[in-house]
């Protein structure tokens, strides 16, 4: 028994709420060690995936995501910089293709483009320039893990770089079960990077944007 302590009367009638939870991308380690989750996008995997995405001949196979063991061997030098009590978990980044045939069916879409009627320019030239601009927009250097895609930002970029050849551009889901507007925002998981797999076949040149062109039927 000890008496070497001091007790003081505190305040009462205070509203206090304590909320503690761990998201899916975090671990709670009850031991004194620190677990460091490292998400890595290797240049080789990025290059191979871009080659597969842009291949239209179906001769390039989809590259495999590097395993944790592969990344641990490739970045083994990092073990020299961590504390002895730390543990590094290597996780590979994953790409999330959108729009094109190599994307999930629910994420496939068609770009409806209205040309400038006052200019003499071919449909193929417009389609090629649209896809080239989309590929530049989705360059991996412009994106981070888990970043959300907003079509309003892509639309503003396309109108800026394609002017004056293009008067208007919008996006329409390819799936019959999707309605216009369902692809105006696309979310990515914390380990995913959004990329475009669109080809010139995903671009339609139309005279005007109408309800029929948007697959808009009835009230949505």
């Amino acid at each position: 028994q000890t008496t070497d302590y001091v007790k003081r009367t505190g305040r009462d009638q205070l509203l206090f709420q304590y909320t503690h939870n761990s998201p899916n991308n975090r671990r709670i380690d009850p031991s004194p060690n620190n677990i460091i989750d490292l998400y890595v996008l290797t240049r080789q995997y990025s290059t191979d995936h871009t080659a597969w995405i842009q291949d239209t001949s179906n001769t390039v196979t989809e590259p495999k995501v590097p395993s944790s063991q592969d990344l641990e061997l490739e970045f083994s030098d990092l073990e020299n910089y961590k504390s002895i009590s730390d543990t590094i978990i290597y996780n590979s980044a994953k790409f999330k293709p959108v729009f094109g045939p190599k994307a999930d069916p629910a994420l496939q879409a068609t770009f409806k483009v209205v040309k400038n009627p006052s200019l003499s320019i071919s449909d193929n030239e417009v389609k090629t320039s649209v896809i080239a601009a989309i590929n530049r927009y989705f360059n991996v250097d412009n994106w981070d893990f888990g970043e959300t895609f907003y079509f309003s930002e892509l639309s503003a970029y396309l109108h800026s770089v394609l002017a004056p050849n293009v008067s208007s551009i919008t996006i329409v889901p390819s799936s019959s079960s999707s309605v216009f507007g369902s692809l105006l925002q696309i979310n990515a998981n914390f380990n995913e990077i959004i990329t475009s797999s669109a080809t010139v076949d995903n671009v339609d040149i139309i005279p005007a944007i109408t309800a029929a062109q948007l697959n808009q039927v009835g009230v949505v």
Side-chain angles (χ1 to χ4, degrees):
Q1 184 177 0
T2 177
T3 58
D4 56 346
Y5 62 87
V6 176
K7 182 185 75 170
R8 294 187 175 90
T9 303
R11 304 187 208 174
D12 61 356
Q13 297 182 1
L14 293 179
L15 297 178
F16 176 77
Q17 181 183 16
Y18 175 73
T19 303
H20 183 90
N21 56 63
S22 175
N24 292 334
N25 58 336
R26 296 290 185 272
R27 289 189 176 95
I28 297 178
D29 183 15
S31 70
N33 298 336
N34 294 319
I35 296 181
I36 303 173
D37 273 312
L38 193 63
Y39 292 92
V40 181
L41 174 62
T42 63
R43 185 178 302 276
Q44 186 62 52
Y45 175 62
S46 177
T47 301
D48 294 343
H49 192 275
T50 300
W52 172 72
I53 281 289
Q54 297 180 355
D55 173 55
T56 57
S57 63
N58 295 324
T59 58
V60 179
T61 57
E62 181 179 3
K64 294 183 178 180
V65 178
S67 65
S68 297
Q69 292 76 15
D70 294 336
L71 295 175
E72 185 175 1
L73 291 175
E74 185 172 355
F75 298 97
S76 58
D77 290 345
L78 293 179
E79 301 291 332
N80 300 326
Y81 299 97
K82 70 177 184 66
S83 301
I84 296 178
S85 60
D86 292 346
T87 300
I88 300 179
I89 306 298
Y90 296 89
N91 305 277
S92 176
K94 295 182 179 180
F95 284 102
K96 185 174 185 175
V98 295
F99 307 141
K102 295 178 181 177
D104 185 272
L107 299 177
Q108 296 180 13
T110 300
F111 291 90
K112 304 284 186 175
V113 179
V114 179
K115 294 193 305 182
N116 188 340
S118 61
L119 297 178
S120 177
I121 182 172
S122 68
D123 290 357
N124 288 337
E125 187 175 352
V126 172
K127 291 181 179 182
T128 301
S129 61
V130 168
I131 294 302
I134 292 175
N135 289 338
R136 290 195 299 270
Y137 181 84
F138 282 97
N139 186 293
V140 68
D141 293 333
N142 300 329
W143 292 81
D144 203 351
F145 297 105
E147 192 169 350
T148 301
F149 162 77
Y150 297 98
F151 177 72
S152 57
E153 297 177 354
L154 173 60
S155 176
Y157 172 77
L158 294 178
H159 281 90
S160 174
V161 300
L162 298 177
N165 296 336
V166 171
S167 298
S168 183
I169 185 169
T170 189
I171 187 173
V172 178
S174 299
S175 174
S176 58
S177 61
S178 300
V179 297
F180 175 72
S182 60
L183 295 182
L184 297 184
Q185 176 179 330
I186 300 175
N187 300 320
N189 291 327
F190 58 86
N191 63 334
E192 291 180 329
I193 297 177
I194 295 179
T195 185
S196 172
S197 63
T199 67
V200 291
D201 294 331
N202 300 111
V203 181
D204 280 350
I205 307 299
I206 59 176
I209 296 179
T210 63
Q213 293 290 351
L214 300 180
N215 295 334
Q216 183 86 351
V217 179
V219 179
V220 178

